[in-house]
Amino acid sequence: MRWTSFWNPGVRGDLGLATDEAALGWVARDPDAAILHLYRFDPPAVVIGYHQDPRAEADLRACAARGVEVHRRLTGGGSILMGPGQLGLALALPRSAVSTAGGFGPVFEALSGGIIDALRRHGVESVLRPKNDLAVDGRKICGVGAYTDADGMLLFHASTLVDVDFDLMLEVLHIPEAKHRDKFVAHAREGMTTLCEQVGRRVPVEDFAAAVEDGYRRSLGVHLERGELDPLRREDVERLAAARYRDPGWLHLGGRPGAQFTQVARKTRGGMVVVRCWQERGRVRELQLRGDFFAERGVVEAIERALRGATAGEARERVAAVLPADDLWLVTADDVATLVRDALTAEGVEGGRNATACFLPGR
């Protein structure tokens, strides 16, 4: 397999994420290829997981005031502020190149090796911990995620904190109200770390990007060469950025007005799951599954369709009927059915937030 890397030292969020997705198509047309995209966002951007609600995750007014963009990515997981101090990574390759038996966990384990090696070369030992973190002495330094498409391609995402503007992160991501803010901020600072903090000096992101390239060469034993995007591929990226990542419909994935609305959340083995439910006469009129879990594309949409018109007692059977036996997520039919029951029996609310940021503690 031929491995090629691309380094994007200061890319807008829409173009960076479009490059990640376009790489899936490039690999699909050449299944002997693997593409490693390394980048740094400029300007900074809040990037939410595929199944998340931007209004719950980001303070949209604060983002606009500070010039911080907001984008939705293809992969699941939690929201994150991506700025000049973080190294973004996307690896596109055929799904058959990595075992997915047992869920996304083995994928994370196999494909995090290049980052773990690069950290080790800087004198920092990290370990992969459930469900999708690299941690140093229990403190998160990197978040990872994955996505598979209908063509059998796999996209592995990672964001490593080389450095971070912690104050800006707290300003643009939703955190608890003032009553609990101080305790939350202290917990957040203790729960995360950066490469610069660990080594006690400034580390240029471009230097760490080169170390990650070397890390994949060593950890996977591959021959990787750095390349440049040619004009045709740049056209692919621009076309995709305009069609998807600059489209407000992609960012918001549509709310549903009318009917009685409830929102409930549950922490599961696969991550936080949020059910946003519009109901009439005890039946689901419309439902959205959100959260920081991972799932193959199409599974969540199939569950949402299956639950339209369902009562609380019908929810589990309907979910089980469309949930594939070999699906990669760790959320069960019982988990979803319990949430639907809670949503249908709860009092209607105007909104509600269950934010699940990647580098901030759950709340």
Side-chain angles (χ1 to χ4, degrees), residues 240-264:
L240 188 54
R244 189 192 302 283
Y245 294 99
R246 292 200 287 270
D247 177 11
W250 166 255
L251 174 62
H252 292 281
L253 288 183
R256 301 292 190 273
Q260 178 180 329
F261 172 72
T262 51
Q263 176 169 298
V264 294

Side-chain angles (χ1 to χ4, degrees), residues 73-93:
R73 62 179 181 265
L74 279 177
T75 51
S79 54
I80 182 175
L81 173 68
M82 290 286 292
Q86 284 104 298
L87 177 67
L89 178 154
L91 174 57
L93 70 170

Side-chain angles (χ1 to χ4, degrees), residues 48-55 71-75 244 247-257 276 278 286-290 297 300-301 304 308:
I48 65 171
Y50 177 78
H51 303 289
Q52 293 187 304
D53 182 344
R55 294 161 296 187
H71 295 287
R72 181 185 302 278
R73 62 179 181 265
L74 279 177
T75 51
R244 189 192 302 283
D247 177 11
W250 166 255
L251 174 62
H252 292 281
L253 288 183
R256 301 292 190 273
R276 296 166 54 82
W278 290 260
E286 196 70 47
L287 182 139
Q288 295 175 346
L289 287 176
R290 298 290 181 261
R297 192 56 36 83
V300 170
E301 292 82 355
E304 291 173 342
R308 289 173 188 158

Side-chain angles (χ1 to χ4, degrees), residues 75-77 98-100 103-116 127-134 143-147 154-158 216 270 292-295 328 330:
T75 51
V98 183
S99 172
T100 56
F104 277 124
V107 175
F108 298 156
E109 185 173 352
L111 299 183
S112 295
I115 305 168
I116 292 172
V127 295
L128 180 66
R129 66 180 185 184
K131 68 180 182 313
N132 62 316
D133 298 346
L134 293 183
V144 301
Y147 159 80
L154 184 145
L155 182 68
F156 172 74
H157 257 159
Y216 278 106
D292 63 354
F293 54 83
F294 298 93
L328 299 184
L330 299 175

Side-chain angles (χ1 to χ4, degrees), residues 214-292:
D214 286 339
Y216 278 106
R217 293 183 183 107
R218 283 187 290 266
S219 66
L220 296 181
V222 298
H223 178 72
L224 184 152
E225 293 185 353
R226 182 176 286 191
E228 297 287 339
L229 291 180
D230 60 42
L232 289 178
R233 285 183 168 178
R234 291 187 183 277
E235 288 180 9
D236 287 345
V237 170
E238 176 56 38
R239 187 163 48 246
L240 188 54
R244 189 192 302 283
Y245 294 99
R246 292 200 287 270
D247 177 11
W250 166 255
L251 174 62
H252 292 281
L253 288 183
R256 301 292 190 273
Q260 178 180 329
F261 172 72
T262 51
Q263 176 169 298
V264 294
R266 179 184 179 91
K267 188 73 172 179
T268 73
R269 194 162 65 98
M272 179 69 75
V273 181
V274 180
V275 163
R276 296 166 54 82
C277 179
W278 290 260
Q279 62 167 298
E280 289 180 331
R281 298 187 180 93
R283 290 184 177 272
V284 175
R285 171 178 163 181
E286 196 70 47
L287 182 139
Q288 295 175 346
L289 287 176
R290 298 290 181 261
D292 63 354

Side-chain angles (χ1 to χ4, degrees), residues 52-178:
Q52 293 187 304
D53 182 344
R55 294 161 296 187
E57 300 302 322
D59 185 328
L60 300 182
R61 289 185 179 179
C63 288
R66 294 297 302 271
V68 174
E69 299 178 349
V70 183
H71 295 287
R72 181 185 302 278
R73 62 179 181 265
L74 279 177
T75 51
S79 54
I80 182 175
L81 173 68
M82 290 286 292
Q86 284 104 298
L87 177 67
L89 178 154
L91 174 57
L93 70 170
R95 177 173 169 175
S96 58
V98 183
S99 172
T100 56
F104 277 124
V107 175
F108 298 156
E109 185 173 352
L111 299 183
S112 295
I115 305 168
I116 292 172
D117 183 276
L119 289 169
R120 182 177 296 123
R121 294 284 166 163
H122 283 80
V124 178
E125 290 294 331
S126 62
V127 295
L128 180 66
R129 66 180 185 184
K131 68 180 182 313
N132 62 316
D133 298 346
L134 293 183
V136 178
D137 294 328
R139 302 173 68 194
K140 184 169 182 175
I141 196 169
C142 177
V144 301
Y147 159 80
T148 58
D149 70 9
D151 294 325
M153 300 298 110
L154 184 145
L155 182 68
F156 172 74
H157 257 159
S159 173
T160 305
L161 295 180
V162 179
D163 203 356
V164 66
D165 186 337
F166 192 80
D167 292 332
L168 180 61
M169 179 184 291
L170 292 177
E171 184 177 345
V172 298
L173 294 178
H174 273 310
I175 65 172
E177 300 299 329

Side-chain angles (χ1 to χ4, degrees), residues 28 186 338 349 361:
T338 298
V349 296

